Amino acid sequence: MSSKAYEWSLTHELKSPAQYQLLHFLGITADDEGYFSDREGIKGIDFITYVTGQSKSTIMRSLREFEEANLLHRERRYSGEFGPHPTNTIVLHLENTGTKPPYLMKHKQQNKAPAQRLSR
Protein backbone atom coordinates (compact mmCIF):
# COMPACT_ATOMS: atom_id res chain seq x y z
CA MET A 1 0.00 0.00 0.00
CA SER A 2 1.28 3.42 -0.91
CA SER A 3 0.02 6.77 0.32
CA LYS A 4 2.02 8.38 -2.49
CA ALA A 5 0.13 6.45 -5.19
CA TYR A 6 -3.21 7.04 -3.46
CA GLU A 7 -2.60 10.80 -3.20
CA TRP A 8 -1.63 10.77 -6.89
CA SER A 9 -4.94 9.09 -7.74
CA LEU A 10 -6.85 11.93 -6.07
CA THR A 11 -5.34 14.56 -8.41
CA HIS A 12 -7.12 13.35 -11.55
CA GLU A 13 -10.44 14.53 -12.98
CA LEU A 14 -12.17 11.44 -14.33
CA LYS A 15 -15.37 11.00 -16.27
CA SER A 16 -17.25 8.47 -14.13
CA PRO A 17 -17.54 7.23 -10.55
CA ALA A 18 -16.41 3.79 -11.76
CA GLN A 19 -13.14 5.29 -13.02
CA TYR A 20 -12.61 7.13 -9.72
CA GLN A 21 -13.17 3.90 -7.81
CA LEU A 22 -10.80 1.92 -10.03
CA LEU A 23 -7.99 4.50 -9.99
CA HIS A 24 -8.28 4.94 -6.21
CA PHE A 25 -8.23 1.16 -5.71
CA LEU A 26 -5.08 0.89 -7.85
CA GLY A 27 -3.54 3.80 -5.93
CA ILE A 28 -4.25 2.18 -2.58
CA THR A 29 -2.89 -1.22 -3.57
CA ALA A 30 0.14 -0.09 -5.61
CA ASP A 31 3.59 0.17 -4.04
CA ASP A 32 5.57 3.43 -3.69
CA GLU A 33 6.84 3.15 -7.25
CA GLY A 34 3.34 2.72 -8.69
CA TYR A 35 3.46 -1.04 -9.35
CA PHE A 36 0.26 -3.04 -8.92
CA SER A 37 1.70 -6.49 -9.42
CA ASP A 38 0.28 -9.97 -9.59
CA ARG A 39 3.18 -11.47 -7.62
CA GLU A 40 0.84 -13.47 -5.42
CA GLY A 41 -0.98 -14.86 -8.46
CA ILE A 42 -4.31 -13.34 -7.41
CA LYS A 43 -4.25 -9.67 -8.42
CA GLY A 44 -5.48 -10.03 -11.98
CA ILE A 45 -8.55 -8.49 -13.59
CA ASP A 46 -10.77 -11.07 -11.86
CA PHE A 47 -9.46 -9.88 -8.48
CA ILE A 48 -10.15 -6.24 -9.41
CA THR A 49 -13.70 -7.10 -10.51
CA TYR A 50 -14.26 -8.95 -7.23
CA VAL A 51 -13.03 -6.07 -5.03
CA THR A 52 -14.62 -3.18 -6.96
CA GLY A 53 -17.84 -4.90 -7.99
CA GLN A 54 -17.41 -3.58 -11.53
CA SER A 55 -17.82 -5.71 -14.62
CA LYS A 56 -14.77 -7.00 -16.44
CA SER A 57 -15.67 -4.96 -19.54
CA THR A 58 -15.93 -1.74 -17.48
CA ILE A 59 -12.53 -2.36 -15.92
CA MET A 60 -10.91 -3.22 -19.25
CA ARG A 61 -12.40 -0.09 -20.86
CA SER A 62 -11.24 2.12 -17.97
CA LEU A 63 -7.72 0.65 -18.06
CA ARG A 64 -7.57 1.26 -21.82
CA GLU A 65 -8.70 4.88 -21.33
CA PHE A 66 -6.16 5.34 -18.51
CA GLU A 67 -3.43 4.06 -20.86
CA GLU A 68 -4.55 6.49 -23.59
CA ALA A 69 -4.41 9.33 -21.04
CA ASN A 70 -0.89 8.20 -20.03
CA LEU A 71 -1.91 7.47 -16.44
CA LEU A 72 -0.61 3.90 -16.52
CA HIS A 73 0.65 1.06 -18.67
CA ARG A 74 0.33 -2.70 -18.39
CA GLU A 75 3.10 -5.27 -18.63
CA ARG A 76 3.14 -9.05 -18.93
CA ARG A 77 6.13 -10.43 -17.06
CA TYR A 78 7.44 -13.94 -16.94
CA SER A 79 8.77 -15.09 -13.62
CA GLY A 80 10.42 -18.33 -12.63
CA GLU A 81 8.27 -18.41 -9.48
CA PHE A 82 5.06 -19.05 -11.43
CA GLY A 83 6.43 -21.36 -14.10
CA PRO A 84 5.57 -20.60 -17.72
CA HIS A 85 2.59 -18.39 -16.82
CA PRO A 86 3.05 -14.63 -17.15
CA THR A 87 2.08 -12.28 -14.33
CA ASN A 88 0.14 -9.08 -14.91
CA THR A 89 1.61 -5.80 -13.73
CA ILE A 90 -0.08 -2.39 -13.87
CA VAL A 91 2.37 0.50 -13.59
CA LEU A 92 0.93 3.85 -12.52
CA HIS A 93 2.65 6.90 -14.00
CA LEU A 94 3.07 8.77 -10.72
CA GLU A 95 5.03 11.52 -12.46
CA ASN A 96 1.88 12.54 -14.40
CA THR A 97 0.04 14.49 -11.75
CA GLY A 98 -3.50 15.61 -12.50
CA THR A 99 -4.92 19.11 -12.30
CA LYS A 100 -7.57 18.56 -9.65
CA PRO A 101 -6.76 20.78 -6.63
CA PRO A 102 -6.37 19.15 -3.22
CA TYR A 103 -9.59 19.10 -1.19
CA LEU A 104 -8.37 21.50 1.50
CA MET A 105 -7.36 24.08 -1.11
CA LYS A 106 -10.74 23.78 -2.83
CA HIS A 107 -12.56 23.96 0.52
CA LYS A 108 -10.69 27.14 1.52
CA GLN A 109 -11.50 28.77 -1.85
CA GLN A 110 -15.20 28.04 -1.37
CA ASN A 111 -15.17 29.54 2.13
CA LYS A 112 -13.51 32.77 0.92
CA ALA A 113 -16.45 33.53 -1.35
CA PRO A 114 -18.60 36.27 0.15
CA ALA A 115 -21.69 34.99 1.89
CA GLN A 116 -24.94 35.87 0.19
CA ARG A 117 -27.89 36.82 2.27
CA LEU A 118 -31.27 35.50 1.46
CA SER A 119 -33.86 38.21 1.02
CA ARG A 120 -36.98 37.94 3.12
Side-chain angles (χ1 to χ4, degrees):
M1 182 174 150
S2 168
S3 61
K4 179 180 176 183
Y6 177 69
E7 289 172 12
W8 168 85
S9 74
L10 296 174
T11 68
H12 295 282
E13 296 278 356
L14 302 170
K15 68 180 190 178
S16 73
Q19 286 188 340
Y20 276 107
Q21 182 189 30
L22 177 59
L23 195 63
H24 293 181
F25 170 73
L26 293 173
I28 288 169
T29 54
D31 64 16
D32 285 336
E33 295 168 359
Y35 285 84
F36 174 85
S37 185
D38 190 17
R39 279 172 252 174
E40 297 86 19
I42 60 167
K43 289 187 180 177
I45 298 301
D46 291 337
F47 175 71
I48 297 171
T49 60
Y50 173 77
V51 172
T52 64
Q54 298 179 24
S55 69
K56 187 172 185 174
S57 61
T58 298
I59 290 172
M60 296 302 289
R61 181 176 49 253
S62 293
L63 289 174
R64 187 172 48 254
E65 290 176 5
F66 292 163
E67 282 184 301
E68 290 169 0
N70 200 27
L71 298 179
L72 58 81
H73 71 273
R74 292 179 276 180
E75 298 176 355
R76 303 272 295 162
R77 294 183 175 191
Y78 290 88
S79 170
E81 295 177 41
F82 301 108
H85 304 291
T87 60
N88 295 314
T89 301
I90 296 172
V91 183
L92 305 177
H93 297 174
L94 300 180
E95 69 279 3
N96 295 342
T97 305
T99 58
K100 187 175 177 181
Y103 174 75
L104 290 177
M105 181 185 296
K106 184 176 182 179
H107 183 68
K108 286 179 183 180
Q109 289 172 350
Q110 288 174 347
N111 288 340
K112 285 184 182 180
Q116 295 179 358
R117 292 188 169 196
L118 299 174
S119 59
R120 294 183 187 201

